[in-house]
Amino acid sequence: MGNLGADQICGSNFAYQHHTLERCLNDMVELGRAKMELWGIAPHLYIPDAGKHDVRNVLQLLRERELSVACITPEQVAYPVNIASGETWLREASVQLFLRAAEICSDLESPLLFLTSGRGYEDEPLEPAWERSVLALQSITERASELGVSCVLEPLQRVESNLVTDVSSLKRMLDDVGHRDLGVVIDTVALAVAGDAISDYGRSFGGKVRHVHLIDGSPAGHMAWGDGNLDLPAILRGLGQLEYKESITFELFGDGSYSIDPRAAFQKCLNAWEDSIAQRLDVSAS
C-alpha cells in the first residue's frame, strides 16, 4: 500500500447531480484534488446534447481551478443506453453517444473514456448480444484511439448486465475486441459481488488496469468508505502489490442520500484513505 499516493485520488461529480458543476469543482479543489473523473450527466456535461460551447464552458471552469480530467464516464447503466441492444435504433444511438464522448474526451484532454459492455435480452441467447457488444466496442475504441484517447472497460454487476460481469468475461471481451488501447477498470463493488480478487486482475491484465472505482458496499451499494463492509484496506494492499500508479475515484451513489451533502461523503472517504495509508506506513516502520 505504501506506493499508493493521495495524488492518485480523483475528484468527481458523482453524487453532485443536484448541485452545480461549479460547486462540485470548488469542493474538489478545497479537498486537495488536482484531477477529475467527470460523470457525463445533465446538467454538468450531458453528452448527447453537449455542443462546442458547452464543452468550452466546462474546459474553462476546469482551467480556472487548475484542474485536469483523468476520465470521462458517460452515463450508461441507468439511462436508455445499450451498445449491445437487439434494437438497431437503440444500439446505433448508443454507439453514437460514445463516439461523441470520445470527441469530448479529446477536447477536454481526458486520456480515458469509460465503457461498459451493455446487455442482451434475458429471454434470448447471449451470443448475438455478445457479438453486438464486441462490434460496438471495436468501433468506439478505434475512433477514440484516432483522437488520442484510450478506453477502459468495467465489469458490471449481474443485475446490471449479462455480458461482462467478472474477470473471466472481461478477459474474453478484451481478447475478442482485440484493441491495444482498451484497458480495464477495477470496481470494488463489482469485484466483491463477482467473488473476484485484486490478484485475479493482476494475473489476467497486469498493466492494462488503468482506472479504479474504490467504494464500499455490502457487498453492493456504492457506499462511502465505512458505510459498507468491504475490506478496503486489503484492497489497497492488493493495489499496492500490483504497483498500481494510475487514477482512483470514489464512485458515490448509495441510496441517493449522498447527493444532499456530497462533500461530506467524499471527505469521509478521503479521511479513511489517509488513515489506511498511515496505518500501513506505521506497520511497515515497526
Side-chain angles (χ1 to χ4, degrees):
M1 192 189 301
N3 65 336
L4 297 175
D7 59 338
Q8 291 176 256
I9 301 293
C10 298
S12 75
N13 58 328
F14 293 120
Y16 276 86
Q17 64 266 37
H18 302 304
H19 300 262
T20 62
L21 181 58
E22 290 89 339
R23 157 74 192 282
C24 171
L25 298 181
N26 289 340
D27 281 357
M28 294 302 110
V29 170
E30 290 172 10
L31 290 169
R33 300 307 93 206
K35 55 187 178 181
M36 294 288 298
E37 177 175 353
L38 287 179
W39 182 28
I41 55 154
H44 300 170
L45 184 63
Y46 185 54
I47 290 168
D49 289 338
K52 292 182 179 179
H53 172 78
D54 303 300
V55 176
R56 282 198 300 268
N57 181 60
V58 171
L59 184 60
Q60 180 177 345
L61 293 175
L62 291 163
R63 286 179 171 171
E64 288 172 352
R65 294 160 178 82
E66 298 183 348
L67 288 167
S68 63
V69 181
C71 183
I72 290 179
T73 302
E75 178 51 60
Q76 52 204 284
V77 178
Y79 290 12
V81 178
N82 185 359
I83 63 171
S85 175
E87 306 301 323
T88 301
W89 67 269
L90 177 55
R91 183 174 68 256
E92 291 180 350
S94 299
V95 171
Q96 286 301 315
L97 179 148
F98 286 102
L99 295 177
R100 175 62 183 138
E103 295 173 347
I104 293 173
C105 280
S106 179
D107 291 340
L108 295 181
E109 301 177 353
S110 171
L112 298 180
L113 172 59
F114 191 104
L115 306 176
T116 55
S117 63
R119 74 187 297 165
Y121 286 121
E122 294 289 339
D123 59 344
E124 292 185 359
L126 291 183
E127 280 306 310
W130 184 274
E131 290 303 319
R132 292 191 293 266
S133 182
V134 169
L135 291 173
L137 290 170
Q138 287 173 335
S139 175
I140 296 162
T141 52
E142 182 58 31
R143 177 55 180 152
S145 183
E146 292 171 355
L147 294 167
V149 175
S150 296
C151 294
V152 286
L153 184 65
E154 178 195 63
L156 294 173
Q157 298 172 64
R158 178 60 184 85
V159 295
E160 298 168 323
S161 177
N162 52 11
L163 297 178
V164 176
T165 59
D166 56 14
V167 164
S168 176
S169 51
L170 179 59
K171 186 176 188 310
R172 180 189 169 199
M173 183 60 78
L174 256 67
D175 290 344
D176 286 357
V177 173
H179 200 286
R180 65 190 182 282
D181 287 336
L182 181 58
V184 305
V185 179
I186 295 176
D187 180 290
T188 54
V189 161
L191 175 146
V193 169
D196 290 327
I198 296 293
S199 57
D200 297 324
Y201 278 81
R203 283 190 295 271
S204 295
F205 307 113
K208 280 189 170 292
V209 178
R210 300 284 311 277
H211 193 58
V212 171
H213 279 170
L214 184 70
I215 53 273
D216 211 340
S218 56
H222 286 75
M223 301 172 184
W225 195 326
D227 288 351
N229 55 30
L230 299 188
D231 190 350
L232 296 185
I235 287 173
L236 292 188
R237 288 193 293 274
L239 290 173
Q241 290 166 1
L242 286 186
E243 300 184 352
Y244 181 72
K245 301 292 187 183
E246 303 199 50
S247 53
I248 299 171
T249 303
F250 305 130
E251 187 189 22
L252 299 169
F253 289 116
D255 61 2
S257 62
Y258 296 141
S259 66
I260 297 171
D261 187 3
R263 176 171 175 154
F266 192 98
Q267 181 73 72
K268 181 175 183 176
C269 293
L270 196 58
N271 291 345
W273 162 278
E274 292 170 350
D275 289 346
S276 292
I277 296 294
Q279 290 171 13
R280 176 65 173 171
L281 293 175
D282 287 345
V283 169
S284 298
S286 61

